[in-house]
Amino acid sequence: MNSTQSGLKSASRLLLGCLGGGQPSVAIVLGSGLDVQLDKNYWEMPASEIPGFVLPTVDGHTGRVTAGTLGQRDVLLIQGRVHCYEGIPEENVAFQVHLVRELGISNIVLVSAAGGIRDDLDPGSMMLVEDHLCAQPLQANAERGAVYDAGWRQRVIAASDGLRISCGVFVWTIGPSYETPAEIVAFERRGGNAVGMSLVPEALWASALGMRVFAVAIITNRASGLSKGRLGHAEVLRAALDAQANVTKLLVHAVAQSPKLHV
Ligand code: HPA
């Protein structure tokens, strides 16, 4: 057993002890600057106390695991995402996903900030991910057919009256720098609708582990070259904060509509 695997076992023992048999059916992993107000918090633990948890180094990614309820359903909320651009191997980037699976939770919701490429994807809108393109190769060994659960997505669309949501293709780039305007033009020609630096490695691992995946890109900015302003992390964090109330509303639907069957 390598150190990641033994960290995983210790972490899951610790969290299963905290959960005390009351196992959530959904885990939510949040990205850059995003926060969600749970209805009830049972307990929370700083990521630094969880063995093996790869700690975030980027501003806006506090590391914390919280168990609570959202819209009457028990959930596990994981804040503290790490990225391939932090020099962390892809499998460790997905530590949180492995941990969720180890806890026996089969439904995962992945939330990431992203830049909007398609015309209607302006800040504050939300794009449910139906598929993705990778600007750089990834190793995760998923069945590449259907990473994102179409039935789950359709049920959320049907339930989410009044929210600015649409579906689209997420382009994953390794970062950490934002794209050039020419790259955005190229992504658009290839069918990409929004661009971000996370979500896809985790989605591929979750799918490879047999989990059901629902993913949403919170549009925090127009992608590079598509607006006049200068694109930067501070703007992304500000827009993520502004989106919080709508993100929470969407997540209530995502949790309520999650698949009932365990894998
Ligand atoms: N590009 C890449 N990642 C992002 C962006 C973007 O425009 N916005 C938020 N995350």
Side-chain angles (χ1 to χ4, degrees), residues 1 33 39 62 64 82 86 89 129 136 140 163 168 179 213 222 251 258 260 263:
M1 195 184 278
D39 300 322
T62 47
R64 189 166 58 219
V82 290
E86 293 171 76
V129 180
Q136 287 86 15
L163 286 177
E179 304 69 38
V213 181
R222 292 290 293 153
L251 291 180
S258 61
K260 299 281 184 293
V263 289

Side-chain angles (χ1 to χ4, degrees), residues 158-257:
S160 299
D161 248 8
L163 286 177
R164 286 178 61 205
I165 55 171
S166 60
C167 294
V169 174
F170 188 95
V171 184
W172 179 79
T173 61
I174 193 164
S177 48
Y178 291 102
E179 304 69 38
T180 64
E183 283 168 333
I184 296 300
V185 170
F187 295 156
E188 185 173 28
R189 289 194 183 134
R190 288 167 60 196
N193 302 129
V195 58
M197 303 173 197
S198 61
L199 193 147
V200 171
E202 293 104 314
L204 285 172
W205 277 104
S207 179
L209 293 170
M211 299 166 78
R212 302 288 194 88
V213 181
F214 176 90
V216 56
I218 311 303
I219 307 300
T220 50
N221 55 280
R222 292 290 293 153
S224 178
L226 300 180
S227 75
K228 292 201 189 73
R230 219 180 118 70
L231 179 54
H233 194 52
E235 174 193 354
V236 168
L237 292 182
R238 227 180 0 259
L241 197 65
D242 290 346
Q244 201 164 299
N246 283 337
V247 174
T248 302
K249 284 184 195 159
L250 177 68
L251 291 180
V252 169
H253 293 305
V255 169
Q257 300 302 328

